């Protein structure tokens, strides 16, 4: 059979004497083709981008459904026929979302696509500060705004140069001491968080100039 086609069936028995009367007629319409190749990406902590392949030519819309942190699926969007993407902007940082898509028209729905799962990125650390109590150390402090981080990545710029990662510290850390500094030098620092979904945006920069060596 073919997709989105109406079929009628009837049956009759046969023996050496001939045929019985035909049974009653049963009618059925096959569903439309299922969307395939569903993918989900979280480019920021507040958005998930979905893409899929449209295999049907008779859909009037696609229904997008979402599950949050293992909960039940519910429809979050209906997008136009021939659509192959959707951006979900109603998500929060550090959550795991599952998605599925199906086609719809006046006769019903296609089967669901395969499910895809994505974890949104963490929120950036806030209130980054830097102080230089001596020429050979810069002490950083920040507020941990994430709850699923696996590490903090610390980057440094020396005298206005390019930022380079200098350290990775564990979850729930809120301070770091850079002991690779020299006197009368200006350092800029920034931090971002990593979790299963990727990296947060960067914190604001904190700048400090080391004093003259004692």
């Amino acid at each position: 059979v073919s997709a989105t086609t109406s079929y009628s069936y009837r049956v009759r028995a046969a023996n050496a004497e001939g045929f019985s009367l035909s049974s009653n007629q049963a009618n059925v319409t096959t569903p439309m083709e299922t969307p395939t190749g569903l993918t989900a990406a979280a480019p920021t902590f507040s958005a998930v981008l979905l893409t899929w392949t449209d295999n049907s030519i008779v859909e009037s819309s696609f229904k997008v459904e979402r599950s949050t942190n293992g909960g039940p699926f519910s429809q979050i969007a209906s997008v136009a026929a021939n659509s192959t993407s959707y951006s979900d902007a109603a998500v929060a940082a550090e959550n795991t979302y599952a998605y599925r898509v199906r086609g719809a028209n006046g006769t019903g729905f296609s089967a669901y696509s395969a499910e895809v799962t994505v974890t949104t990125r963490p929120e950036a650390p806030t209130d980054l500060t830097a102080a230089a109590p001596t020429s050979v150390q810069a002490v950083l402090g920040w507020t941990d705004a994430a709850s699923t981080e696996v590490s903090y990545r610390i980057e440094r710029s020396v005298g206005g140069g390019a930022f380079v990662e200098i350290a990775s510290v564990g979850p729930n850390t809120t301070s770091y001491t850079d002991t690779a500094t020299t006197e009368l030098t200006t350092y800029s620092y920034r931090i971002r968080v990593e979790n299963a979904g990727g990296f947060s945006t960067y914190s604001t920069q904190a700048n400090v100039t080391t004093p003259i060596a004692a």
Side-chain angles (χ1 to χ4, degrees), residues 21-88:
L21 297 175
S22 294
S23 69
N24 60 298
Q25 185 172 299
N27 306 308
V28 67
T29 299
T30 52
M32 70 192 74
E33 290 90 341
T34 304
T36 58
L38 180 63
T39 64
T44 71
F45 71 84
S46 59
V48 172
L49 177 62
L50 305 178
T51 61
W52 61 87
T53 299
D54 174 8
N55 295 309
S56 175
I57 59 172
V58 296
E59 81 278 358
S60 58
S61 64
F62 286 100
K63 309 299 184 182
V64 181
E65 297 187 6
R66 182 184 71 192
S67 163
T68 303
N69 295 324
F73 278 93
S74 60
Q75 184 176 307
I76 60 168
S78 177
V79 297
N82 303 317
S83 297
T84 57
S85 65
Y86 174 73
S87 182
D88 180 10

Side-chain angles (χ1 to χ4, degrees), residues 176-193:
Y176 175 75
T177 299
D178 178 11
T179 58
T181 59
T182 57
E183 65 177 352
L184 296 178
T185 304
T186 297
Y187 296 93
S188 298
Y189 296 90
R190 65 186 185 185
I191 302 175
R192 61 179 178 169
V193 186

